[in-house]
Amino acid sequence: MKKPTIIGTGLVALDVVIADNIEAGPLLCAGGTCGNVLTALSYMGWNSFPIARLRADSASKQIAEDLSRWGVKTDFVTFDDDGSTPVVVQRIRQNKAGDPSHSFSRKCPHCGDWLPWYKAVRVADVSIIEPRLPQADVFFFDRTSRGAVTLAEEANRKGNLVVFEPSASSEPTLMADALAVSHIVKIASDRLLGNEGILDADEPLLLIETRGPDGLRYRKRSASGRGRWKKLPAKRCSPTRDTSGAGDWCTAGLLRKLGPLGVEGLTASDDLSVRAAIEYGQALAAWACCFHGARGGMYEQSKQKFTKTVNAILTGVPTPDTKVRVKSSVIMDDQPIWCDCGLGERVG
């Protein structure tokens, strides 16, 4: 069988994951919603093609190396002076009860300066990029820039399954245009502010609202109407060390199951099939919570162990404790690679 292909645009960033209770350097890896979803699917055997505008700097070099490590294709990632390499610092702490919590910052923990942020694909570049794109099964986007929506419109016209997961506030007109061409829309409950009205949308074939530890609800459109909401409890895996990447893995899991079906297949799918795909995504989300960082498990477990653990979560079998290790492909010193503070550029 041919490998499914996904094209995506949105946040592709460098994640700097710092766990306060681990005496090790930070985990430096490609992140962002788009970056995580496409890398997770590449890990599971897909062809993944992100579209991103990065700057030629040390942080983007680290992103490119990490994407390549997991087989992600960087044909449509640019590294130019007019681009920008987003950097997100994640701190993982434990409260007095011993429960993990995480926070995100866009300031360098070394010097305190603001770190670079996201630049969307430009509309002017779409006419250059679009004819070069490979034939795809799925198009994914997580932000409503005009360039991203234009790419989504073209993907819809080609018959691709279009998936929209807003991870930031959306301008109302762009939101309406995005919903009009999207077949699957998934949103976290804490992202509804700034994306008002999304849960009332009639256009998507499948609409999902995730609610953290309270699970999620979904609604599949049928021939007789937009369908009714159905709830699913969250899957569990012990121990929980970091929930930051759960939503991205849930998306990757459900796309692994539903993406190859295409638009017609999703339209014809019964509730059992849709529910099974979502529950598989939830199992991946639970697995991801056992590790530090959004994709920490990919660095910690073998593919065989990954499959075994996810199957155990799906069947409700208790899963064995996982070892705590935070690995980094970059050795941290007193001059961090994610910021220009006192180090210059390391792009050689």
Side-chain angles (χ1 to χ4, degrees):
M1 296 179 64
K2 79 176 185 71
K3 295 171 66 172
T5 296
I6 183 170
I7 297 169
T9 192
L11 185 59
V12 177
L14 177 66
D15 280 354
V16 181
V17 184
I18 303 172
D20 286 357
N21 62 333
I22 303 297
E23 294 183 2
L27 176 68
L28 305 178
C29 53
T33 301
C34 181
N36 286 331
V37 170
L38 268 64
T39 305
L41 281 168
S42 181
Y43 177 71
M44 294 186 285
W46 284 46
N47 292 314
S48 294
F49 292 86
I51 302 171
R53 289 175 58 202
L54 306 184
R55 179 171 171 255
D57 53 23
S58 300
S60 67
K61 182 173 183 286
Q62 177 66 23
I63 291 173
E65 289 175 353
D66 192 46
L67 292 176
S68 297
R69 172 180 181 173
W70 301 110
V72 178
K73 318 296 184 184
T74 57
D75 305 51
F76 305 102
V77 179
T78 58
F79 304 88
D80 298 323
D81 289 339
D82 64 351
S84 179
T85 307
V87 179
V88 180
V89 178
Q90 180 191 353
R91 299 297 296 254
I92 304 172
R93 298 180 172 89
Q94 286 186 333
N95 60 26
K96 292 181 179 179
D99 299 322
S101 64
H102 62 264
S103 61
F104 298 102
S105 173
R106 288 180 47 211
K107 286 190 175 182
C108 174
H110 187 76
C111 69
D113 284 349
W114 285 101
L115 294 164
W117 194 231
Y118 167 76
K119 284 187 177 180
V121 60
R122 294 172 294 204
V123 178
D125 294 332
V126 171
S127 60
I128 300 172
I129 296 170
E130 202 279 329
R132 298 170 47 220
L133 294 174
Q135 183 177 354
D137 299 275
V138 175
F139 179 82
F140 174 88
F141 66 119
D142 64 29
R143 275 166 166 71
T144 52
S145 68
R146 177 50 63 189
V149 172
T150 302
L151 284 167
E153 290 169 345
E154 288 298 314
N156 180 290
R157 182 183 60 80
K158 291 178 178 179
N160 300 161
L161 190 70
V162 178
V163 181
F164 176 39
E165 183 168 359
S167 56
S169 297
S170 303
E171 192 276 326
T173 300
L174 289 175
M175 169 63 78
D177 292 345
L179 292 175
V181 296
S182 297
H183 304 104
I184 298 177
V185 175
K186 174 175 170 285
I187 188 167
S189 58
D190 60 0
R191 295 289 185 183
L192 290 173
L193 184 63
N195 293 297
E196 289 80 2
I198 198 169
L199 296 182
D200 295 321
D202 292 323
E203 298 92 342
L205 293 173
L206 179 62
L207 186 58
I208 302 170
E209 179 195 4
T210 58
R211 296 174 167 181
D214 295 325
L216 57 78
R217 61 175 184 160
Y218 69 96
R219 189 185 74 202
K220 183 179 182 294
R221 198 175 76 199
S222 64
S224 59
R226 65 181 190 174
R228 62 181 181 85
W229 288 104
K230 299 179 180 180
K231 296 181 179 179
L232 287 176
K235 301 289 185 184
R236 306 293 181 187
C237 183
S238 180
T240 296
R241 295 195 173 97
D242 179 20
T243 61
S244 63
D248 300 336
W249 279 97
C250 184
T251 300
L254 70 91
L255 290 184
R256 184 184 189 185
K257 299 297 184 180
L258 297 179
L261 300 179
V263 179
E264 291 185 2
L266 176 60
T267 302
S269 293
D270 59 19
D271 184 66
L272 287 176
S273 300
V274 172
R275 181 188 177 107
I278 295 174
E279 288 186 323
Y280 179 74
Q282 289 181 295
L284 264 61
W287 169 81
C289 292
C290 293
F291 306 92
H292 293 120
R295 295 187 297 100
M298 291 171 58
Y299 304 85
E300 295 291 323
Q301 283 193 345
S302 67
K303 191 76 69 70
Q304 182 180 12
K305 181 67 172 177
F306 159 77
T307 301
K308 182 178 179 180
T309 306
V310 170
N311 287 336
I313 295 169
L314 279 169
T315 56
V317 176
T319 53
D321 194 3
T322 52
K323 294 181 179 179
V324 182
R325 297 194 310 273
V326 175
K327 294 181 179 179
S328 174
S329 57
V330 173
I331 299 174
M332 183 182 178
D333 56 24
D334 60 352
Q335 294 184 334
I337 72 159
W338 57 80
C339 179
D340 293 341
C341 52
L343 59 96
E345 297 295 343
R346 299 181 184 178
V347 294

